[in-house]
Amino acid sequence: MSNSKKIVICGAGGFIGGHLIADLRRQGHTHIRAVDIKPMDEWFQKFDDVENLVLDLQEKEACEKAVERCDSIYNLAADMGGMGFIEANKALCMLSVLINTHLLMAAKKHGVGRFFYASSACVYAAHKQVNPDVTALKEEDAYPAMPEDGYGWEKLFSERMCRHFSEDFGIVTRVARYHNVYGPEGTYDGGREKAPAAICRKVIEAKLSGKHEIEIWGDGHQTRSFQYIDDCVLGTQKIMNSDVVTMPINLGSSEMVTINQLVDIAEGIAGIKLKRSHNLKAPKGVNGRNSDNTLIQKLLNWQPSISLQSGLEKTYRWIYDDITTNS
């Protein structure tokens, strides 16, 4: 994409949005508009050399203001968090459908060339994810539909909205199904954090307090793959700029681990061993989920490659520094 094109990042104050803008700036892009509902002092990263707007993108008028005179849109905006948040806030998650709907309508009105939508592995059918030794999920496994209640349904509906706006109105849409993105500059407490950040925080707190104990949600045998933020940002742009990716596509690591193994890695980084307790009543999501990367390898000759060990080390160090600096 030409560096002279106006790029709009929706959800710019969030974790992925902040990293995406940072990378676009590194590439020399100077026409960037950053949009988020949060007050700017709550943005994860903010940059004075981009156009920053605080707007509620659930509102139609706000979406029109956000996209006017732009060439491309990255829609990363959503009310979301880790499993604890999305299981307790299904209606709030569903209301994010207003963001994508109104952004697509505004994109059509203003003649926007390209539109990226950040979907989620939560769109995948529940019956495909009942065992920890899950077969990696292919893109077609989203149908027959039975996604994660609330959040997953909103994502799947919005995927279809992108498809039909492309078919009916000619907007070039691209959709990536994110699988558990983690890394520095992200949420690690407060209820919206995801497993890698939560585990790092718990291990750090146990080490600093001298109380070498950790609570794990579920029995710890549930499996996931976790994608480091740098891979996510690179893959997002590859998908957005591609002329061969025309359907929703997995964007995630294929390195599957159990939650207990994730704790093992964090303990190894910290140099401690903790006494574990398992909260079987806590939200834990599906029993198994992993990304089949056959399609992205075939179409883009690429897939996420940063190992969980390497990515978690960087994440742990950032969270440790943030906790010890601000405590």
Side-chain angles (χ1 to χ4, degrees):
M1 182 178 295
S2 168
N3 290 6
S4 65
K5 299 289 187 180
K6 172 75 79 173
I7 305 171
V8 176
I9 313 297
C10 299
F15 168 50
I16 300 174
H19 279 278
L20 177 58
I21 292 174
D23 191 65
L24 290 168
R25 290 171 66 253
R26 280 192 291 269
Q27 295 174 47
H29 289 280
T30 57
H31 296 78
I32 300 172
R33 179 179 296 148
V35 186
D36 204 284
I37 190 173
K38 296 186 292 291
M40 282 202 62
D41 60 1
E42 296 179 14
W43 289 26
F44 286 37
Q45 299 184 63
K46 53 188 175 183
F47 307 95
D48 294 335
D49 58 350
V50 307
E51 180 187 0
N52 298 302
L53 300 178
V54 175
L55 297 170
D56 181 357
L57 294 175
Q58 292 189 27
E59 302 293 336
K60 182 173 179 288
E61 295 77 12
C63 288
E64 294 198 2
K65 181 176 181 180
V67 310
E68 62 184 2
R69 299 186 307 280
C70 80
D71 300 284
S72 61
I73 300 168
Y74 287 89
N75 179 18
L76 310 173
D79 200 349
M80 58 85 68
M83 189 53 59
F85 178 83
I86 66 176
E87 285 199 5
N89 296 278
K90 294 183 176 68
L92 288 179
C93 290
M94 289 291 288
L95 284 171
S96 293
V97 74
L98 295 172
I99 299 173
N100 200 59
T101 302
H102 288 146
L103 279 174
L104 281 168
M105 292 170 65
K108 172 179 176 289
K109 178 177 179 179
H110 290 276
V112 175
R114 278 192 183 229
F115 186 100
F116 174 90
Y117 177 65
S119 187
S120 165
C122 288
V123 302
Y124 284 112
H127 71 275
K128 298 275 188 178
Q129 305 172 82
V130 295
N131 296 313
D133 58 345
V134 62
T135 299
L137 295 161
K138 294 180 178 292
E139 283 76 6
E140 59 264 30
D141 289 329
Y143 295 93
M146 187 49 69
E148 186 80 38
D149 199 10
Y151 180 71
W153 276 110
E154 186 277 322
K155 290 296 185 183
L156 194 61
F157 177 87
S158 292
E159 285 189 6
R160 302 294 288 195
M161 183 74 80
C162 288
R163 170 180 169 175
H164 296 312
F165 265 71
S166 181
E167 292 171 342
D168 293 357
F169 306 124
I171 299 173
V172 176
T173 61
R174 297 289 180 260
V175 176
R177 291 174 179 163
Y178 288 165
H179 287 248
N180 296 311
V181 185
Y182 74 99
E185 305 288 346
T187 298
Y188 61 82
D189 62 6
R192 291 181 184 256
E193 67 274 21
K194 296 187 177 181
I199 294 298
C200 285
R201 170 182 53 79
K202 290 179 179 182
V203 170
I204 291 165
E205 289 174 345
K207 182 172 184 174
L208 293 175
S209 69
K211 187 177 181 181
H212 289 186
E213 299 176 356
I214 187 171
E215 180 187 85
I216 299 170
W217 287 8
D219 59 15
H221 297 303
Q222 62 269 36
T223 52
R224 295 291 187 275
S225 62
F226 300 99
Q227 175 184 201
Y228 189 64
I229 183 63
D230 290 0
D231 272 336
C232 177
V233 167
L234 177 58
T236 292
Q237 293 173 79
K238 283 181 174 290
I239 292 167
M240 174 61 144
N241 298 324
S242 167
D243 289 326
V244 295
V245 179
T246 58
M247 71 292 288
I249 189 169
N250 281 333
L251 182 53
S253 170
S254 58
E255 180 186 357
M256 187 173 75
V257 295
T258 67
I259 298 301
N260 284 330
Q261 289 171 329
L262 180 64
V263 177
D264 290 340
I265 296 171
E267 286 179 334
I269 296 167
I272 59 173
K273 289 296 291 183
L274 304 177
K275 179 181 179 181
R276 303 182 185 186
S277 62
H278 292 86
N279 184 349
L280 301 182
K281 295 183 179 180
K284 69 181 186 69
V286 297
N287 288 323
R289 177 181 293 157
N290 192 19
S291 178
D292 185 305
N293 288 346
T294 303
L295 188 58
I296 196 168
Q297 287 178 293
K298 176 183 177 182
L299 295 179
L300 298 180
N301 193 31
W302 179 87
Q303 67 169 327
S305 61
I306 299 172
S307 71
L308 181 58
Q309 176 72 41
S310 175
L312 204 66
E313 286 178 359
K314 296 174 184 177
T315 306
Y316 180 96
R317 303 301 176 200
W318 180 83
I319 294 174
Y320 184 91
D321 289 345
D322 199 63
I323 287 176
T324 54
T325 299
N326 295 311
S327 61

